[in-house]
């Protein structure tokens, strides 16, 4: 039985690796074509920088593709073993349905660990490195036209902070601070051209600061005091990671980073639905590799004629693409309809789990 398991593991790993390499090569080509539009148009941005940026973006694609490539590669291996009657010989040698399922689940656990490691460690690091490569040539890291918005409570007062962009050295550009009193009225505004994060984590060092302080008298009289400072130390507990989290897309953050950012948003009364859905997707997405290997097992019990394997592999490709689309659709729908984040993230995996168990029960156990 060890020989059979070793054969299944070797063939499956080879098939999944081949399919993964093919998809990554395809994404590399598409990303490179898209990145070529900046070569020559932006001063200092050359072909080598475009190649480095695209290469550093591959781990993010690998994380998204792993469940799909696991499904396609495992279906191809199971169908090929069935077509050559090798799986029939394995069955006569004592490889029953439950033992075959257990063998694939052990292999699936390895893919789960790999997917988690890529999505939680390799992909965030490589994506930040890719952003820095582009920022070193284009000048800054930003999101949209308004930048990042954050909120912080300071006793009865609240503060809204806007950071337009981060430069390659991690310094802030275009900082705006709006301070509100206990009644929700604006008490002061602050604008700074640049800023640095304090090393002690309790303040920012701002440069070229313009301040407007609103004084409201008891008799209804109000006046505005305007100040200009070359440098100013502004007290806050908003850290580098919080600003980076708001500038990065949620799917580019680690699970721990998402959890900490969600706690920050909730403690300051901000909506965290989008980040909660992405957090639970990070938790459940690696487990989908287990669902995929179960879904591929019934293909080993089918009878193939010569050349009929291509249709089943194509079906596996369509099933993988539909899982990816369903995962995205549930994420957007859950955010719009305010569904439970955990159920929204788990729904695609549950649907495909029922499909895989139904196929296993009908094709393997019943027939």
């Amino acid at each position: 039985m060890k020989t059979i398991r070793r054969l299944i593991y070797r063939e499956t790993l080879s098939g999944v690796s081949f399919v993964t390499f093919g998809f990554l090569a395809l994404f590399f080509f598409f990303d490179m074509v898209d990145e070529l539009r900046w070569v020559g148009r932006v001063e200092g941005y050359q072909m080598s920088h475009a190649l480095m940026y695209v290469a550093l973006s591959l781990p993010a694609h690998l994380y998204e593709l792993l469940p799909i490539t696991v499904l396609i590669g495992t279906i191809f291996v199971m169908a090929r073993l069935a077509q050559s009657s090798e799986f029939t010989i394995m069955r006569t040698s004592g490889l029953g349905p439950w033992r075959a399922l257990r063998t694939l689940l052990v292999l699936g656990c390895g893919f789960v660990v790999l997917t988690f490691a890529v999505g939680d460690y390799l992909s965030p690091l490589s994506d930040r490195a890719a952003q820095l490569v582009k920022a070193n040539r284009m000048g800054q890291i930003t999101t949209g036209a308004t930048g990042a918005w954050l909120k912080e409570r300071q006793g009865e007062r609240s503060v809204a902070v806007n950071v337009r962009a981060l430069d390659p050295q991690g310094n802030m550009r275009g900082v705006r601070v709006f301070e509100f009193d206990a009644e929700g009225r604006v008490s002061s505004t602050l604008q700074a051209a640049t800023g640095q994060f304090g090393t002690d984590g309790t303040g920012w060092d701002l440069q070229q600061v313009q301040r407007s302080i609103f004084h409201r008298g008891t008799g209804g009289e109000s006046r505005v005091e305007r100040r200009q400072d070359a440098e100013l130390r502004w007290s806050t507990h908003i850290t580098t990671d919080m600003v980076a989290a708001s500038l990065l897309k949620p799917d580019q953050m680690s699970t721990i980073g998402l959890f900490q950012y969600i706690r920050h948003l909730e403690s300051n009364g901000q909506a965290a639905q989008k980040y909660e859905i992405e957090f639970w997707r990070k938790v459940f997405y690696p487990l989908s590799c287990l669902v995929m290997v179960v879904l591929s097992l019934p293909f080993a019990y089918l009878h193939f004629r010569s050349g009929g394997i291509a249709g089943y592999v194509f079906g596996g490709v369509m099933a993988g693409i539909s899982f990816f689309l369903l995962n995205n659709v549930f994420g957007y729908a859950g955010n719009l309809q305010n569904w439970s984040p955990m159920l929204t993230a788990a729904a695609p995996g549950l649907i495909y789990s029922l499909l895989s168990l139904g196929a296993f029960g009908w094709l393997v156990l019943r027939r």
Side-chain angles (χ1 to χ4, degrees):
M1 198 55 62
K2 289 183 179 179
T3 304
I4 293 177
R5 285 199 299 267
R6 195 179 299 114
L7 173 64
I8 293 177
Y9 291 163
R10 184 177 65 249
E11 293 294 327
T12 304
L13 289 174
S14 176
V16 172
S17 299
F18 178 77
V19 174
T20 303
F21 178 79
F23 272 101
L24 287 179
L26 190 63
F27 274 90
F28 183 88
F29 174 75
F30 289 149
D31 290 347
M32 192 63 201
V33 171
D34 183 65
E35 201 64 22
L36 286 176
R37 59 179 174 161
W38 302 111
V39 177
R41 294 181 58 186
V42 177
E43 184 178 358
Y45 195 68
Q46 302 175 359
M47 180 67 71
S48 59
H49 304 122
L51 286 171
M52 185 178 298
Y53 175 80
V54 174
L56 289 172
S57 302
L58 286 180
H61 292 310
L62 176 63
Y63 174 71
E64 296 173 351
L65 290 170
L66 265 174
I68 302 174
T69 57
V70 166
L71 174 64
I72 298 172
T74 312
I75 286 178
F76 174 76
V77 171
M78 293 294 106
R80 187 169 58 82
L81 291 176
Q83 186 184 39
S84 61
S85 301
E86 292 180 72
F87 197 80
T88 303
I89 298 173
M90 294 179 188
R91 292 169 61 188
T92 58
S93 302
L95 185 66
W98 294 110
R99 182 169 290 180
L101 178 63
R102 186 167 61 248
T103 300
L104 287 181
L105 286 178
V106 172
L107 187 62
C109 289
F111 288 123
V112 168
V113 174
L114 176 62
T115 305
F116 176 79
V118 171
D120 228 49
Y121 297 100
L122 181 59
S123 179
L125 290 176
S126 65
D127 188 77
R128 291 189 181 185
Q131 295 296 332
L132 287 177
V133 168
K134 181 170 285 189
N136 282 326
R137 300 299 164 182
M138 297 188 177
Q140 60 185 21
I141 303 173
T142 184
T143 172
T146 61
W149 284 93
L150 301 100
K151 186 178 179 181
E152 183 182 32
R153 292 189 181 276
Q154 299 177 347
E156 294 184 353
R157 296 176 177 267
S158 62
V159 177
V161 184
N162 175 235
V163 179
R164 181 61 58 88
L166 295 177
D167 64 18
Q169 289 72 36
N171 300 323
M172 294 172 285
R173 293 184 180 180
V175 180
R176 293 188 296 170
V177 179
F178 302 88
E179 185 177 0
F180 301 88
D181 58 21
E183 298 178 358
R185 297 178 299 183
V186 178
S187 60
S188 67
T189 63
L190 180 152
Q191 295 184 20
T194 59
Q196 293 82 36
F197 297 97
T199 56
D200 55 358
T202 59
W204 295 354
D205 297 317
L206 306 178
Q207 293 81 35
Q208 301 180 29
V209 181
Q210 297 180 357
R211 301 183 64 190
S212 298
I213 303 174
F214 300 93
H215 298 279
R216 293 180 175 84
T218 55
E221 298 179 357
S222 301
R223 64 184 181 89
V224 180
E225 179 184 357
R226 302 186 185 277
R227 301 178 182 176
Q228 290 187 358
D229 300 295
E231 295 184 356
L232 177 68
R233 176 74 173 184
W234 181 62
S235 299
T236 180
H237 292 284
I238 299 176
T239 63
T240 311
D241 293 336
M242 294 178 184
V243 177
S246 58
L247 283 171
L248 294 174
K249 296 179 181 179
D251 56 357
Q252 297 170 349
M253 299 168 60
S254 65
T255 305
I256 300 298
L258 277 169
F259 179 74
Q260 294 174 345
Y261 190 60
I262 289 170
R263 292 187 61 185
H264 168 75
L265 293 177
E266 291 177 343
S267 63
N268 289 281
Q270 293 179 273
Q273 175 81 2
K274 178 176 66 174
Y275 295 93
E276 288 178 346
I277 292 176
E278 192 59 41
F279 169 77
W280 287 110
R281 284 181 63 181
K282 283 278 187 179
V283 172
F284 290 118
Y285 193 72
L287 298 177
S288 59
C289 291
L290 291 175
V291 180
M292 297 308 175
V293 295
V294 177
L295 189 60
S296 65
L297 181 58
F299 287 84
Y301 291 84
L302 297 175
H303 300 285
F304 296 93
R305 292 177 294 180
S306 177
I309 190 173
Y312 289 98
V313 174
F314 179 76
V317 174
M318 292 296 100
I321 294 176
S322 65
F323 173 78
F324 182 77
L325 293 177
L326 191 66
N327 206 27
N328 288 332
V329 167
F330 267 87
Y332 292 127
N335 193 25
L336 291 174
Q337 301 296 327
N338 202 25
W339 293 344
S340 170
M342 185 173 67
L343 292 178
T344 300
L350 291 175
I351 293 173
Y352 272 74
S353 296
L354 294 176
L355 290 175
S356 60
L357 292 176
F360 177 76
W362 181 61
L363 289 174
V364 180
L365 299 180
R366 183 177 177 183
R367 295 184 60 182

